[in-house]
Structure formats: C-alpha cells, structure tokens
Amino acid sequence: MISEFELIRRYFTHRAQGAVLGVGDDAALVRVKPGCELAISTDMLVAGQHFFPDADPVRLGHKALAVNLSDMAAMGAVPRWVTLALALPQVDPRWLAGFARGFMALARRFKVDLVGGDTTRGPLNICVHILGEVPRGRALRRDGAKTGHDVWVSGTLGGAALAVAAGKGRIALNRSERKVCADRLDLPEPRVALGVALRRVASSAIDISDGLVADLGHIAEESGVGAVIGLDLLPRVAAMTRHAGSMIAREALLSGGDDYELCFTAPANRRAAVAAIGRRLGLVLTCIGSVVRAPGVTHRVMVLDRDGRPVDPDRAGFDHFK
Amino acid sequence: MISEFELIRRYFTHRAQGAVLGVGDDAALVRVKPGCELAISTDMLVAGQHFFPDADPVRLGHKALAVNLSDMAAMGAVPRWVTLALALPQVDPRWLAGFARGFMALARRFKVDLVGGDTTRGPLNICVHILGEVPRGRALRRDGAKTGHDVWVSGTLGGAALAVAAGKGRIALNRSERKVCADRLDLPEPRVALGVALRRVASSAIDISDGLVADLGHIAEESGVGAVIGLDLLPRVAAMTRHAGSMIAREALLSGGDDYELCFTAPANRRAAVAAIGRRLGLVLTCIGSVVRAPGVTHRVMVLDRDGRPVDPDRAGFDHFK
C-alpha cells in the first residue's frame, strides 16, 4: 500500500511562494506583513453531515477551501496560508487526485499557500485551517453595525438550499435549475475582493453559511442592535423564479445556508461607495433593509413582506446538534 | 438537545489574553510580535487510530494539545494561539467537560490562547491547529545537521510504546510500570522551554512522535547526512529495566512513537552549553551518537550495539497507511 508520506508528497506538495518554510518540517514558517493583523479561522467538513460520501472529489476539494476563504472575505482579510488535515477511510488515489485538483486550483487562483497538514486513516473528515492578513484595526467584524445603517447582501441567495431541497425530493427542479443550484452549493465563490474593498465602507460583515436570518442575527447580537429586512428585496437565484410562491423557496432565501455570500452593514451615506464597489467587481450588491433599535427587535432580525407584515422565519440557522 | 453554539460557549470560551479578537467572529485576530516569524502546525487525532474510543477525556484533551505544543518545541517556537475543531458522535456534556478540562489546563500552563474552532456531528475526530512565534531566522529546522555534530535526545524513550505493547498484551508490566508508561503515552510533556533554549545551540531538531530512528532519519534526509547512534546510550524509561533484554523493549526504544521528547543535533564544541541547558531546566539530555557522512549511511540512521555491530531497527516509524 502506498505510504502516507508518499501520498502527501504526490498530491499536495507545491512550492510555497509566500512562506519561509513550507511542508516537511515540524511546522511551516511564514512572515506576516508589517502593520497587518493575522486573521485565523478553521472549518471541519464531515462526510454525511456537510457533503454526501459519494460527492465529486474535485468539487469537494474546491468547497473545503472555499468555505475557509469565505471566512477571510467576511473579515476583509487577504487569505495567505492554509493547512489541510485529512482523515481517509482508505487510500484512493483517484479520489485524492481529484480532491487535490479542486483544492489546489482554487488555492492557486487566490494565491494561497498550502504550508502544512496531516493525513491519517479514519472516517472521512476534512479540516482546513486558514490564515489571512488584514491591516491593523481594519478588519470587518460583527460588532460594528449602528442604528440607521443599511443592510446589504452580495450576489443571490437560496440557490444552495434549493439544491439540497431537490436532493431530498422536496422540490422539483428542471435540469438547468438543478445545474445552477448544484453549482451554488458545491462551487461557492468566496467574495475575497469584496471583503477587501469593504474595509473602508462597511461597519460589519459576516458570510452567509448558516442562512441569512441566522447570520444577520449574529451581527445584530454582537452589535447590540436589530435589523429589519424586506422579503421582496432579497436578491434571489434565477432558478427560484418558477418557485417564487413556495414555502421552500422562502425558507431557502431566509434560512438556507451554504450560499457564502457576504451580508454587511454600511452607513446610509455610503450607498454610492457600495454601489461603485459592486460595479467595479461586477457583483450585484443589494440593499435589503436597515439596522434599527426598537422594542422587541434588538438582537433580532425582523423580516417584513410587501405589505409590511412580519414574516416568521426559521431563525435557527444550521445547528449541527439540533 | 443542547445547541452547538451553547456547547462551545460553555466549555471552550475563555478570555483570549493575547488576541485582538477571540472566538465569536468569522475569524480571530492576533498580532505577531515584530521581528518574529510565525510557526504553523496541525495534528488530527482519530478515535481507534490514535487513541481508544473509551480513552479518558481529560487525558485526551491534554494529549491533543500536547502533541501540537511539541511541534512548536521542535521548532524552538513559543506557542501562542490554537484552534480546536471537533467532530463528535453525540453531545456528551461529561465527555466534553473532561476534554475541555485537560485541554484548557495545559493551554493555561503554556499561556496559549484558544482563539477559534469548529464543532460538528460526526465520528470522533480532534483537529488542533497551533501558531507560535520564533525570532526571524532562529527556528530549529530539520535541515541543519552537519558532519561531526552530536546527536542528543531529551528525557527518556520507550515508555509510550511499552504502554501500547502492554495494552495489546505483548508485554506484562506490573502496576507501577504500567502507571509510568501510561502517563508517558497519555500525558506527554511538551519540551517548549528546551526548544527555546536550543535556538542558539542546536543545528537541527525534531520531536519524537514516530520513533527515534524514523524521526532522526528525517533530520538525516533533510540535512543530507547520516547518523550513527549507540543502542546502549539511549536513555530509557525506568520501567524498561526489567525488560531490558526483550525485543519489545528494543523496538520501543528505537521505533516507539509518542514519547514527544526532542531529538536534536549540536556542534561537538557546544557540549557544555547543552549540558548547562539540561541542568537549568532539570531535564536529562543525553548524547546518543554522531552525525556522519559515510558510504551507505547518508540519509540513514545506523544503530550500533555495544560491540559495534549494526542493529537492524524497524525504520518505518508510524505510517498510518501501512
């Protein structure tokens, strides 16, 4: 059987461009740019929980890195270095080659160095750890939203959740809808350039991994404010048009995770600046509501329909132990 | 059922002393000391592979962090920040409280901040990621050993491997031997202070996680040299005395992993300096051989018995896929 060391060397060794010392010692060594803080995040993906055990390894490699890049985007940080720890039930060179292809292609595109990792036998588990740089004091945090600020989201919402719903037979998608939604679920595009551009504009930011209402709720909690958003204002994936009236579509918009768009707040007098960023990046940015402080709304997100009536969203978001 | 968020808060939230922003945002934020490089390492521990599924959670918490601290020690880095990703088959508050107690006690002792993590449902898997600081250009690497340098190890060897052998019924230990060896296996003491002290003395270093011969072999390979060590020179755990002649004891000494002592090389004219470090730290440091360049020995470790005859060690070390 191929050895662990050989296996790692074959698929994951690449010349670390931005490291003093890459894979192959007890630790990697890197230098953080002067004047920068280091942003640190980690995500663990488990078969059967975050992805189907038979998921396409190329797409899985993409996603494993993308969700971590998205955390950097949400901080306004430039991703620099990652490590990859893998537990594998067996050595399957085809699977590994595919996973490495998806992972490394995205790493190259974002100029991120794979500087270390660990490989072991065990039930399939993928743990990625990421480090990014952000100028001191400029990080986008969750605790900066102020009353009167606008609430924005990037791109479109609900696609990933529709793909999951279709997979469970809860909604019937046609072939093109299925393709679009599956790509939203499997191949999220981390909004790194947006995060960087928002450093001087946004007052808070988060990436939408657990669902819009849950994630915006984190901003509300950390900032000690509330948020009111309009259901009809939410930018939805085109595949949703045919299903606009369905409960599942609404659920996907409000509580569907895995879209990895950014939700952020910005002062109302910076609308033009936000719009300009969207134009420059070729990315739709949509104002979906306001930060408020009102009885009963603080620490909460209130969703209103077109008639101003409160919609009751599932606020829980994705909780792996619920 | 208790929520994932609540669970994390309850057991793992502590005030990050040395971080700009700790747990609770998309990423933590820290500042690396000017003039320092960042050392980065990660280890994944899987139930049934690295520990018994019914292992004492307090000891497991200790070990999960200790093996990562040991990687920092082997680099001469001061450990600063860790993240912890956990996959758990179910929420067992007793297990979690124990694990957190073992983990956090060691973290406090080494002044390491837990700045982030991830918790998910899945087969038990523990992935720790660690960051440390080391002055620029001062890290202890594997590639600096030179012909004529001494080879050293800290502490004693073989204890952890004897505990594993006893667990498998391959060797009979009495109660006190069993206790000593089990502690070596479960509660390794990371040699952080030694690593820091060796920065200006050692020419290379590694921690012994896969077995002395395998790990010293990594130094030999990376440095392009060979090493000759004396079997009788190896400092052995006292519990080994009764079993000195056995093959299992020899195997434990040469190929037993999990002792997490440091193996390092230093110029022969620095013997007094190394000895002084050992005295200051109250830690036995033993010279076990020499770095050589000779036909057939380069990139290899040769073990000699008291009569100068080569001993054939199992060179493989611990390879999870063999």
Side-chain angles (χ1 to χ4, degrees), chain B residues 9-304:
Chain B
R9 247 192 296 267
R10 188 178 305 174
Y11 293 113
F12 292 105
T13 302
H14 77 141
R15 243 186 70 75
Q17 305 288 334
V20 178
L21 183 65
V23 175
D25 211 304
D26 294 287
L29 294 172
V30 305
R31 290 181 186 167
V32 177
K33 209 178 287 171
C36 276
E37 287 169 351
L38 196 69
I40 305 172
S41 182
T42 191
D43 268 292
M44 181 175 265
L45 301 181
V46 176
Q49 193 74 24
H50 302 89
F51 57 89
F52 295 106
D54 63 349
D56 172 17
V58 181
R59 292 164 86 93
L60 194 55
H62 174 102
K63 182 152 183 175
L65 179 56
V67 302
N68 282 276
L69 292 172
S70 180
D71 280 322
M72 295 294 101
M75 298 301 286
V78 175
R80 293 296 313 277
W81 305 286
V82 288
T83 61
L84 169 64
L86 273 178
L88 302 169
Q90 70 275 321
V91 179
D92 175 349
R94 233 193 85 258
W95 190 94
L96 265 172
F99 184 87
R101 192 156 78 246
F103 190 97
M104 298 307 282
L106 194 63
R108 272 190 300 274
R109 185 144 70 81
F110 281 89
K111 297 187 171 62
V112 167
D113 278 318
L114 178 66
V115 294
D118 197 5
T119 320
T120 181
R121 188 187 284 277
L124 186 53
N125 184 306
I126 304 162
C127 190
V128 176
H129 188 278
I130 192 159
L131 298 172
E133 291 173 324
V134 58
R136 279 193 175 209
R138 290 258 158 241
L140 302 173
R141 298 165 53 146
R142 297 180 179 178
D143 59 2
K146 298 268 185 303
T147 309
H149 285 192
D150 293 329
V151 177
W152 296 81
V153 293
S154 64
T156 61
L157 300 178
L162 282 195
V164 173
K168 291 180 177 165
R170 293 181 60 211
I171 193 169
L173 299 181
N174 64 33
R175 186 193 282 200
S176 83
E177 289 167 348
R178 211 162 48 226
K179 163 90 174 74
V180 168
C181 291
D183 284 355
R184 292 290 295 166
L185 179 64
D186 297 342
L187 301 173
E189 179 64 24
R191 302 304 188 189
V192 171
L194 176 61
V196 169
L198 288 174
R199 279 181 201 153
R200 286 166 184 278
V201 181
S203 51
S204 73
I206 194 168
D207 68 329
I208 303 175
S209 55
D210 293 339
L212 172 64
V213 172
D215 288 317
L216 179 54
H218 291 310
I219 287 182
E221 270 170 48
E222 296 293 327
S223 300
V225 296
V228 174
I229 60 175
L231 183 59
D232 282 12
L233 299 178
L234 304 183
R236 51 208 77 198
V237 65
M240 205 175 270
T241 323
R242 268 202 328 133
H243 313 275
S246 80
M247 273 300 290
I248 287 173
R250 199 175 88 178
E251 216 179 288
L253 271 177
L254 294 175
S255 308
D258 272 330
D259 278 316
Y260 295 98
E261 294 294 346
L262 293 190
C263 174
F264 58 97
T265 62
N269 62 12
R270 303 306 304 276
R271 270 176 213 168
V274 173
I277 289 170
R279 277 193 306 276
R280 180 163 65 75
L281 299 178
L283 181 60
V284 176
L285 301 178
T286 309
C287 183
I288 61 167
S290 292
V291 178
V292 299
R293 184 170 276 143
V297 183
T298 305
H299 295 177
R300 281 188 50 220
V301 176
M302 182 174 254
V303 184
L304 301 180

Side-chain angles (χ1 to χ4, degrees), chain A residues 1-7 9 20-21 24-32 34 36-47 49-50 70-72 74-75 81-91 115-127 129-131 134 136-137 139-143 205-207 210 218 221-222 316 318-322, chain B residues 1-7 9 20-21 24-32 34 36-47 49-50 70-72 74-75 81-91 115-127 129-131 134 136-137 139-143 205-207 210 218 221-222 316 318-322:
Chain A
M1 185 173 241
I2 187 173
S3 101
E4 175 183 359
F5 305 119
E6 182 49 40
L7 182 157
R9 247 192 295 268
V20 178
L21 183 65
D25 211 303
D26 293 287
L29 293 172
V30 305
R31 289 181 187 167
V32 177
C36 277
E37 287 169 351
L38 195 69
I40 306 172
S41 183
T42 191
D43 269 291
M44 181 175 264
L45 301 181
V46 176
Q49 192 74 24
H50 301 89
S70 181
D71 280 322
M72 295 294 101
M75 297 301 286
W81 305 287
V82 287
T83 62
L84 169 64
L86 273 178
L88 301 170
Q90 70 275 321
V91 179
V115 294
D118 197 5
T119 319
T120 182
R121 189 187 284 277
L124 185 53
N125 184 306
I126 305 161
C127 190
H129 187 279
I130 193 159
L131 298 172
V134 58
R136 278 191 175 210
L140 302 173
R141 299 165 53 148
R142 297 180 179 178
D143 58 3
I206 194 168
D207 67 330
D210 293 339
H218 292 311
E221 270 169 48
E222 297 292 327
F318 197 74
D319 186 329
H320 293 289
F321 285 105
K322 270 212 167 135
Chain B
M1 185 171 240
I2 188 173
S3 103
E4 176 182 359
F5 305 118
E6 182 49 39
L7 184 157
R9 247 192 296 267
V20 178
L21 183 65
D25 211 304
D26 294 287
L29 294 172
V30 305
R31 290 181 186 167
V32 177
C36 276
E37 287 169 351
L38 196 69
I40 305 172
S41 182
T42 191
D43 268 292
M44 181 175 265
L45 301 181
V46 176
Q49 193 74 24
H50 302 89
S70 180
D71 280 322
M72 295 294 101
M75 298 301 286
W81 305 286
V82 288
T83 61
L84 169 64
L86 273 178
L88 302 169
Q90 70 275 321
V91 179
V115 294
D118 197 5
T119 320
T120 181
R121 188 187 284 277
L124 186 53
N125 184 306
I126 304 162
C127 190
H129 188 278
I130 192 159
L131 298 172
V134 58
R136 279 193 175 209
L140 302 173
R141 298 165 53 146
R142 297 180 179 178
D143 59 2
I206 194 168
D207 68 329
D210 293 339
H218 291 310
E221 270 170 48
E222 296 293 327
F318 197 75
D319 186 328
H320 293 287
F321 287 105
K322 269 210 167 135

Side-chain angles (χ1 to χ4, degrees), chain A residues 12-321:
Chain A
F12 292 105
T13 302
H14 78 141
R15 243 187 70 74
Q17 305 287 333
V20 178
L21 183 65
V23 176
D25 211 303
D26 293 287
L29 293 172
V30 305
R31 289 181 187 167
V32 177
K33 209 178 287 171
C36 277
E37 287 169 351
L38 195 69
I40 306 172
S41 183
T42 191
D43 269 291
M44 181 175 264
L45 301 181
V46 176
Q49 192 74 24
H50 301 89
F51 58 88
F52 296 106
D54 63 348
D56 173 17
V58 182
R59 292 164 87 92
L60 194 54
H62 174 103
K63 182 152 183 174
L65 180 56
V67 302
N68 282 277
L69 293 172
S70 181
D71 280 322
M72 295 294 101
M75 297 301 286
V78 176
R80 294 295 313 277
W81 305 287
V82 287
T83 62
L84 169 64
L86 273 178
L88 301 170
Q90 70 275 321
V91 179
D92 174 349
R94 233 194 85 256
W95 189 93
L96 264 172
F99 183 87
R101 192 156 77 248
F103 190 97
M104 299 307 281
L106 192 63
R108 272 189 300 274
R109 187 146 69 81
F110 281 89
K111 297 188 172 59
V112 167
D113 278 318
L114 179 66
V115 294
D118 197 5
T119 319
T120 182
R121 189 187 284 277
L124 185 53
N125 184 306
I126 305 161
C127 190
V128 176
H129 187 279
I130 193 159
L131 298 172
E133 290 173 325
V134 58
R136 278 191 175 210
R138 289 260 158 241
L140 302 173
R141 299 165 53 148
R142 297 180 179 178
D143 58 3
K146 298 267 187 305
T147 310
H149 286 193
D150 292 329
V151 178
W152 296 81
V153 293
S154 65
T156 60
L157 301 178
L162 282 194
V164 173
K168 290 180 177 165
R170 293 182 59 211
I171 193 169
L173 299 180
N174 65 33
R175 186 192 283 198
S176 82
E177 289 166 347
R178 210 160 50 223
K179 164 91 173 74
V180 168
C181 291
D183 284 357
R184 292 290 293 168
L185 179 64
D186 297 343
L187 302 173
E189 179 64 23
R191 303 304 188 190
V192 170
L194 176 60
V196 170
L198 288 175
R199 278 181 203 153
R200 286 166 184 279
V201 181
S203 51
S204 73
I206 194 168
D207 67 330
I208 303 174
S209 55
D210 293 339
L212 173 64
V213 172
D215 287 318
L216 179 53
H218 292 311
I219 288 183
E221 270 169 48
E222 297 292 327
S223 300
V225 296
V228 175
I229 60 174
L231 181 60
D232 282 12
L233 299 177
L234 303 183
R236 51 208 76 197
V237 65
M240 207 175 269
T241 323
R242 269 204 324 133
H243 312 276
S246 79
M247 273 300 290
I248 288 172
R250 199 175 86 178
E251 216 179 286
L253 271 178
L254 295 175
S255 310
D258 273 330
D259 278 315
Y260 295 98
E261 295 294 348
L262 294 192
C263 175
F264 58 97
T265 62
N269 63 13
R270 303 306 304 277
R271 270 175 213 168
V274 174
I277 289 170
R279 278 193 305 274
R280 181 164 65 76
L281 300 177
L283 181 61
V284 176
L285 301 179
T286 309
C287 183
I288 61 167
S290 293
V291 177
V292 299
R293 184 169 277 142
V297 183
T298 305
H299 296 175
R300 282 187 50 218
V301 177
M302 182 175 254
V303 185
L304 301 180
D305 69 13
R306 74 183 67 185
D307 301 318
R309 280 185 306 236
V311 172
D312 185 30
D314 165 28
R315 269 220 55 198
F318 197 74
D319 186 329
H320 293 289
F321 285 105

